[in-house]
Amino acid sequence: MLGNRSSATEFYLLGFPGSPESHHILFTTFFFFYSVTVMGNILIIVIVCADKRLQSPMYFFLGHLSVLEILIISTAVPLMLWGLLLPGMQTISLRACSTQLYLYLCLGTSEFILMAAMAVDRYVAVCNPLRYNIIMNSNTCIGVVIVSWMFGFLFQIWPVCATFQLTFCKSNVIDHFLCDRGQLFKLSCDDSRFTQFILFLMAVFIIIGALIPTIISYTYIISTIVKIPSASGRRKAFSTCASHFTFVVIGCDSCLLLYVKPKQTQAAEYNRVASLMVLVVTPFLNPFIFTLRNDKFIEAFQDVVKRCCQLLKD
């Protein structure tokens, strides 16, 4: 579809293979996931902001994590849903493609840093409870959030610029539902092996950099919980960390599948499934992981519902 050395100015997204009927089923499924994710995370943000009982560092970080989840799923899923409704391939400009990839990567990076900060917060809460309010004060929490956002947006500038400096002359058809970096490398006529290797190292740096404080924090947390004499005390201490630990395991597993691979040009089906895990499944699970077993949040939610019912009656 392109000349020998002419670079693409727009791309065509193949989306999902299959018949129009299967596309309608996929649209219904992903629209449900997207709607629940957005509404669930908005509900978390509203309740955290509205209820005084949730004015603590853990819920402050959770509110920002919910904002990130909404933004991450919104970078690609609305476009993906639109593509499932339209017959044939979907056109996306070079600028829109680079913007989507940049937002997708930098928001994911910010989320990893925030997850590491939440692990440290749980370490301080369990292992240094008497100094918790001093260490995790409001200035510290705001600073951590600002750093996570700034680092994510700055760290991914070079990777995206390096990707779109390539010459895309083989084709302008991307076998994906979004502007996947691995698929972009497949379309390039340039020798991108060195760039791919550097991007692989950068992905490893982000994930390992987030995992190290998380692993260290949970090592100390577990050793502290084991020493608690009463079973109820151990259960209460563990319940404060269980939601975050579950989210870290799911998030890291899906990101390891997608990002940490020396060969960026892996099979399209593999990339599609891994991207769905990161973009759809993990953000969908977030509201349930952090709320269903959280008694304080459930009480706050019930109070909000009662207030809404009273307003409706009046």
Side-chain angles (χ1 to χ4, degrees):
M1 299 181 73
L2 291 170
N4 288 337
R5 293 297 297 180
S6 61
S7 188
T9 57
E10 63 180 17
F11 297 100
Y12 296 96
L13 301 175
L14 280 181
F16 293 89
S19 63
E21 290 76 17
S22 65
H23 283 188
H24 293 153
I25 294 172
L26 288 174
F27 174 85
T28 304
T29 303
F30 293 142
F31 181 77
F32 169 76
F33 273 72
Y34 180 69
S35 302
V36 172
T37 300
V38 172
M39 289 188 294
N41 282 290
I42 288 176
L43 183 64
I44 289 175
I45 295 167
V46 170
I47 293 176
V48 167
C49 293
D51 198 286
K52 292 182 179 180
R53 288 169 295 183
L54 304 183
Q55 302 302 308
S56 67
M58 182 178 78
Y59 295 103
F60 176 76
F61 291 140
L62 177 58
H64 282 273
L65 181 65
S66 294
V67 172
L68 281 169
E69 295 287 26
I70 292 171
L71 294 176
I72 287 171
I73 197 172
S74 297
T75 57
V77 173
L79 186 65
M80 177 184 74
L81 293 173
W82 182 247
L84 287 169
L85 290 177
L86 297 176
M89 294 183 288
Q90 189 175 11
T91 306
I92 184 170
S93 68
L94 183 68
R95 181 174 294 181
C97 185
S98 60
T99 302
Q100 184 189 64
L101 180 63
Y102 176 66
L103 291 174
Y104 175 45
L105 293 175
C106 65
L107 291 169
T109 302
S110 298
E111 185 176 73
F112 261 96
I113 297 170
L114 194 60
M115 285 196 298
M118 292 175 75
V120 175
D121 169 70
R122 292 299 83 206
Y123 156 74
V124 178
V126 174
C127 301
N128 294 283
L130 298 179
R131 299 181 60 198
Y132 180 71
N133 292 328
I134 298 172
I135 297 172
M136 301 303 297
N137 56 60
S138 59
N139 291 333
T140 301
C141 296
I142 293 170
V144 167
V145 169
I146 292 173
V147 168
S148 68
W149 281 85
M150 287 185 63
F151 184 84
F153 277 79
L154 294 175
F155 188 80
Q156 295 296 342
I157 291 176
W158 182 84
V160 175
C161 288
T163 301
F164 285 92
Q165 282 176 355
L166 300 171
T167 304
F168 305 107
C169 57
K170 290 183 179 178
S171 173
N172 58 349
V173 178
I174 299 176
D175 191 5
H176 210 292
F177 60 82
L178 55 80
C179 284
D180 177 66
R181 189 163 59 191
Q183 294 300 309
L184 289 169
F185 281 123
K186 289 179 70 174
L187 305 183
S188 173
C189 296
D190 302 328
D191 186 358
S192 61
R193 285 176 293 182
F194 178 74
T195 303
Q196 291 186 51
F197 180 68
I198 296 299
L199 295 179
F200 165 72
L201 292 180
M202 292 178 72
V204 171
F205 171 76
I206 289 296
I207 294 178
I208 298 300
L211 281 178
I212 287 174
T214 302
I215 292 170
I216 293 173
S217 296
Y218 275 103
T219 301
Y220 281 104
I221 288 170
I222 292 170
S223 63
T224 301
I225 291 175
V226 169
K227 295 175 184 176
I228 297 175
S230 66
S232 60
R234 289 194 297 270
R235 196 179 305 111
K236 184 178 179 181
F238 181 75
S239 66
T240 64
C241 310
S243 298
H244 175 260
F245 183 76
T246 304
F247 182 77
V248 167
V249 171
I250 295 172
C252 286
D253 284 349
S254 55
C255 285
L256 284 170
L257 286 172
L258 184 60
Y259 296 123
V260 182
K261 50 188 182 186
K263 191 176 181 182
Q264 291 284 335
T265 55
Q266 290 217 350
E269 285 303 319
Y270 176 94
N271 285 337
R272 249 192 295 267
V273 173
S275 297
L276 285 173
M277 285 292 296
V278 174
L279 276 167
V280 179
V281 178
T282 303
F284 173 77
L285 293 175
N286 175 35
F288 301 102
I289 291 172
F290 283 102
T291 60
L292 288 181
R293 297 187 63 183
N294 190 316
D295 295 335
K296 191 180 290 188
F297 188 91
I298 291 172
E299 289 175 9
F301 174 70
Q302 290 173 343
D303 288 346
V304 169
V305 172
K306 287 177 183 176
R307 276 185 242 162
C308 291
C309 292
Q310 287 174 356
L311 289 173
L312 291 173
K313 288 179 181 178
D314 296 340

